[in-house]
């Protein structure tokens, strides 16, 4: 339908190659409301009569109600299909004016911006739920000692809740990134036209206002050529899903029989077609792989824009699939993780048992020597290292099972004022619970520290929720307002 210069029809296979219809169904609604706002503005500026506007708007309303009546298979994209539909319904004299002072180049990016704006609000809301789930589970389990690992080797005594809170902090930063990128997404490119604006008097601020945008993208080349806000958005999703991937990996490890710290609720596990005993954590495994897919979507997008000239090139069309795909995958993954977290069973006894027989209290013992006996940390490190070696050589017995003679030999090489029975007393007094009590540094798994984290995270969630609701209401409010304006014009 746009073929004013080429006189020959597109070949079928070329049409299929050019088509973006595969993704365009998800921007159709935005294309319709965008067209309504644009047509209203054209009327207000005196470029189309009230009668013409009425015809255009009623065709657009019809498309909104029954999107399937658009002949999508005959056109390159949804913009073309919608315009053809409007012209067919309202006639070329009215419908043929809808595309005045507009191009598909500003139109497509307008639609995507409205779609991503909604996606951000949905993802942020889902993220707030997930963070709340993590904080609630942390609150329930804040006194359950559990081993912490570095290099996947036993490191220090911590708590399961401390891990949950660490995830919550990571996701809150993801939320912050998403929240900030919204400002850069929520700007209107409409009216930039093909690349250089229009000689027809239009009001870009009016259409931006009708569609609930914060402002317009001033420069018409920038408005049609740039995709950096989408790249930034996809980057935040890649980072976010990598946070989810880490949580998934921790849970997968801890739910193995060997660890046995947690058990996934049955609806979030899969089984084996061959091995009857299997209860596999497939949703979490797919969470790991989704992170790879979102990252590769970002890389595809970066590859597409790399070294493109200014001004629309058709390459930009191929950004839509990875972008919209990244949104959908991320939203699903957050929701799955939310269910997993809320339904997870925690095996406190197993966690405590593993912590109680571990050498992970070694650092706590060394720190007690530093505090009580005022000896250099490096010396304390050596003494406790010798004790651990001794215990390991006796068949991995726990440190409390060591004898007076072992303490004596560990101290022997060092000129320190520590008596073997004093050392034994420190060892015997160091249970996992004591270790947590003694570790008071800010952000540590100490009970009071965790309570502070829970409080500040809860406050953070509630602040974001208020902000997200306000944003969603603003968008909904603008669309309601636009709908009322459309109805008024139709009834006049
Ligand atoms: N289907 C196109 C896209 O998704 C719309 C813009 C087409 N513009 C053009 N000048 N061919 O990007």
């Amino acid at each position: 339908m746009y073929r004013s210069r080429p006189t020959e029809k597109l070949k079928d296979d070329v049409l299929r190659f050019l088509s973006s219809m595969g993704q365009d169904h998800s921007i159709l609604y935005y294309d319709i409301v965008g067209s309504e706002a644009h047509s209203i503005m054209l009327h207000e500026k005196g470029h189309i009569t009230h009668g013409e506007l009425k015809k255009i708007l009623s065709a657009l309303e019809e498309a909104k109600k029954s999107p399937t009546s658009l002949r999508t298979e005959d056109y390159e994209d949804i913009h073309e299909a919608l315009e053809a539909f409007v012209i067919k319904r309202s006639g070329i004299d009215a419908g043929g004016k809808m595309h005045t002072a507009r191009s598909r180049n500003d139109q497509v990016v307008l639609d995507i911006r409205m779609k991503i704006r909604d996606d951000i609000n949905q993802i942020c809301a889902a993220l707030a739920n997930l963070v709340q789930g993590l904080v609630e589970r942390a609150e329930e389990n804040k006194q359950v000692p559990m081993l912490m690992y570095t290099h996947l080797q036993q490191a220090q005594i911590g708590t399961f809740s401390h891990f949950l809170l660490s995830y919550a902090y990571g996701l809150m930063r993801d939320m912050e990134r998403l929240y900030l990128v919204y400002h850069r997404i929520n700007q209107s490119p409409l009216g930039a036209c093909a690349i250089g604006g229009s000689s027809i008097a239009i009001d870009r601020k009016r259409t931006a206002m009708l569609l609930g945008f914060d402002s317009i993208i001033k420069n018409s080349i920038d408005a049609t050529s740039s995709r950096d806000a989408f790249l930034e958005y996809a980057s935040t999703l890649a980072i976010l899903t990598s946070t989810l991937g880490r949580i998934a990996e921790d849970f997968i490890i801890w739910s193995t029989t060997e660890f046995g710290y947690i058990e996934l609720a049955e609806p979030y596990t899969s089984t084996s077609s061959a091995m009857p005993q299997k209860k596999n954590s497939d949703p979490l495994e797919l969470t790991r792989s989704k992170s790879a897919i979102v990252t590769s979507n970002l890389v595809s997008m970066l590859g597409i824009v790399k070294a493109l000239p200014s001004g629309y090139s058709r390459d930009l069309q191929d950004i839509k699939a990875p972008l919209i795909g990244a949104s959908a995958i991320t939203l699903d993954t957050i929701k799955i993780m939310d269910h997993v977290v809320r339904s997870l069973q925690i095996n406190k006894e197993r966690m405590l048992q593993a912590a109680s027989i571990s050498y992970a209290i070694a650092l706590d013992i060394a720190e007690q020597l530093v505090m009580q006996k005022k000896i250099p940390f490096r010396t304390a490190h050596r003494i406790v290292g010798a004790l651990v070696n001794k215990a390991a050589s006796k068949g991995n017995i726990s440190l409390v099972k060591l004898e007076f003679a072992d303490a004596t030999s560990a101290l022997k090489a060092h000129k320190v004022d520590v008596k073997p029975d004093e050392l034994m007393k420190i060892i015997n007094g160091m249970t996992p619970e004591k270790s947590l009590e003694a570790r008071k540094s800010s952000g540590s798994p100490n009970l009071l520290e965790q309570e502070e984290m829970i409080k500040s995270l809860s406050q953070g969630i509630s602040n974001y929720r208020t902000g997200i609701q306000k944003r969603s209401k603003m968008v909904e409010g603008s669309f309601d307002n636009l709908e009322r304006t459309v109805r008024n014009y139709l009834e006049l």
Side-chain angles (χ1 to χ4, degrees), residues 20 77 79 104-105 108 312 314 316-317 320:
S20 57
D77 55 35
H79 320 293
R104 278 185 297 169
N105 300 350
V108 67
Y312 181 86
R314 196 62 177 260
L316 290 172
Q317 171 171 294
K320 237 182 299 178

Side-chain angles (χ1 to χ4, degrees), residues 123-174:
I123 292 177
C124 282
L127 206 49
N129 290 345
L130 170 57
V131 175
Q132 177 163 8
L134 287 164
V135 172
E136 283 171 10
R137 298 306 313 262
E139 173 72 47
E140 285 162 33
N141 294 285
K142 59 190 181 208
Q143 270 167 310
V144 183
M146 179 187 139
L147 281 167
M148 296 194 273
Y149 301 82
T150 63
H151 311 267
L152 261 187
Q153 301 284 337
Q154 297 181 358
Q156 283 185 277
I157 306 290
T159 58
F160 183 59
S161 47
H162 196 221
F163 276 104
L164 297 179
L165 295 174
S166 78
Y167 307 147
Y169 274 108
L171 293 170
M172 284 297 260
R173 284 191 297 278
D174 292 320

